[in-house]
């Protein structure tokens, strides 16, 4: 029976274990100690466990695997709250992604306080400014391919990302910060597809796409649940 023992930083701080064993026989271990630390990746092959430490200049509080086997980590204590603190690694090589990086390499200024990170696709959805045209958009940044795509030109007060579906490229947007846990202050919503928006009637405190955005689950200001197609 395969087994592995490794030294860990401290049992006095919370430890996060991201289990991707069924997908790629890997486990990512991070620690939310007083300072960001280097994560450990545990792999299983040939009936044997091996562990390697991911050496990061800024350390990490949290992380996840992307579909291509790369690892995205964040050295912000609250999980994935600032694009300026992401690092993408393929164990040997590391590419730090920051607002400065986006400005220089993609001519995009980043404004979102809260972002939507889709670990399955490796996309980050945020609102920002095109530094060439001075126009405001909802952008998609592809961690894996290092590509920024414009999803929606902001022409109204709907600029906060509620949800995004990578398969259909559809967006749900609201005018204010949206926690999307069922207790958000009810507010209007729009759905965006092909840079065109359509407003929902009424106010909503929750909205979420199903897989491939075939359905949308909503909770309105009267606490009625509705499944839309």
């Amino acid at each position: 029976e395969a087994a592995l023992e490794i030294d860990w930083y401290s049992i006095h701080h919370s430890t996060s274990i991201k289990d991707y064993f069924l997908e790629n026989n890997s486990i990512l271990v991070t620690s939310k100690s007083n300072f960001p630390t280097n994560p450990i990746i545990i792999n299983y092959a040939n009936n044997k466990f091996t562990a390697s430490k991911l050496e990061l200049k800024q350390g990490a509080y949290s992380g996840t695997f992307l579909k291509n086997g790369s690892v995205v980590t964040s050295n912000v204590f609250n999980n994935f709250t600032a694009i300026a603190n992401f690092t993408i690694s393929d164990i040997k090589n590391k590419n730090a992604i920051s607002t400065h990086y986006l400005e220089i390499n993609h001519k995009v200024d980043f404004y979102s306080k809260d972002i939507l990170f889709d670990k399955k696709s490796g996309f980050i959805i945020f609102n920002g400014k095109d530094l060439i045209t001075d126009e405001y958009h909802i952008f998609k940044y592809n961690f894996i391919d290092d590509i920024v795509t414009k999803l929606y030109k902001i022409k109204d007060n709907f600029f906060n990302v509620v949800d995004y579906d990578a398969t259909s490229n559809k967006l749900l947007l609201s005018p204010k910060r949206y926690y999307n846990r069922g207790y958000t202050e009810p507010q209007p919503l729009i759905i965006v597809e092909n840079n065109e928006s359509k407003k929902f009637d009424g106010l909503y405190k929750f909205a979420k796409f199903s897989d491939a955005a075939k359905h949308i689950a909503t909770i309105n200001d009267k606490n009625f649940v509705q499944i839309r197609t």
Side-chain angles (χ1 to χ4, degrees):
E1 183 174 318
L4 176 70
E5 292 185 4
I6 56 175
D7 292 330
W8 190 232
Y9 301 102
S10 173
I11 61 173
H12 300 293
H13 302 287
S14 61
T15 297
S16 174
I17 299 177
K18 299 293 184 180
D19 186 356
Y20 295 85
F21 198 77
L22 295 178
E23 298 178 17
N24 59 9
N25 289 346
S26 299
I27 296 175
L28 178 68
V29 185
T30 55
S31 173
K32 288 189 175 181
S33 58
N34 293 331
F35 300 97
T37 54
N38 288 320
I40 290 178
I41 297 177
I42 300 173
N43 292 298
Y44 178 78
N46 301 320
N47 199 34
K48 181 181 179 181
F49 288 105
T50 58
S52 59
K53 185 179 292 185
L54 192 58
E55 299 288 348
L56 301 173
K57 183 177 180 180
Q58 302 296 332
Y61 283 118
S62 56
T64 189
F65 287 97
L66 297 179
K67 63 182 180 181
N68 68 342
S70 298
V71 179
V72 174
T73 54
S74 173
N75 66 359
V76 176
F77 188 80
N78 292 319
N79 196 19
F80 300 126
T81 55
I83 196 172
N85 293 275
F86 278 103
T87 299
I88 182 168
S89 309
D90 63 2
I91 309 306
K92 295 181 180 179
N93 301 310
K94 304 170 191 62
N95 181 22
I97 307 301
S98 67
T99 52
H100 186 64
Y101 175 89
L102 291 176
E103 289 172 0
I104 294 175
N105 293 275
H106 297 286
K107 308 304 179 185
V108 170
D109 201 355
F110 180 86
Y111 287 125
S112 298
K113 291 183 179 179
D114 296 294
I115 60 176
L116 191 151
F117 174 55
D118 184 344
K119 68 179 183 181
K120 290 184 179 179
S121 62
F123 296 159
I124 284 184
I125 313 301
F126 63 96
N127 68 66
K129 181 181 179 181
D130 185 321
L131 296 177
I132 296 176
T133 65
D134 285 337
E135 294 178 335
Y136 295 88
H137 296 264
I138 304 296
F139 292 95
K140 173 178 68 178
Y141 177 69
N142 186 328
F143 264 121
I144 296 173
D145 298 327
D146 190 23
I147 295 174
V148 173
T149 304
K150 296 174 183 177
L151 295 176
Y152 177 62
K153 181 180 178 181
I154 299 173
K155 44 188 176 287
D156 44 37
N157 63 343
F158 291 83
F159 54 83
N160 189 76
V161 179
V162 177
D163 200 12
Y164 170 74
D165 176 71
T167 302
S168 64
N169 234 23
K170 293 180 181 179
L171 281 165
L172 289 174
L173 302 177
S174 65
K176 297 180 181 179
R177 188 178 183 186
Y178 206 101
Y179 294 96
N180 214 358
R181 299 186 182 97
Y183 55 82
T184 294
E185 176 185 352
Q187 56 184 308
L189 288 171
I190 62 172
I191 182 170
V192 175
E193 184 177 11
N194 297 324
N195 205 34
E196 297 294 330
S197 64
K198 181 180 179 181
K199 188 176 180 180
F200 291 178
D201 293 331
L203 302 176
Y204 299 86
K205 59 173 68 176
F206 176 89
K208 186 73 175 175
F209 284 126
S210 67
D211 288 343
K214 294 179 179 179
H215 305 283
I216 307 170
T218 59
I219 301 176
N220 68 8
D221 56 341
K222 307 299 182 183
N223 286 326
F224 291 138
V225 178
Q226 184 177 6
I227 305 297
R228 303 166 178 264
T229 57

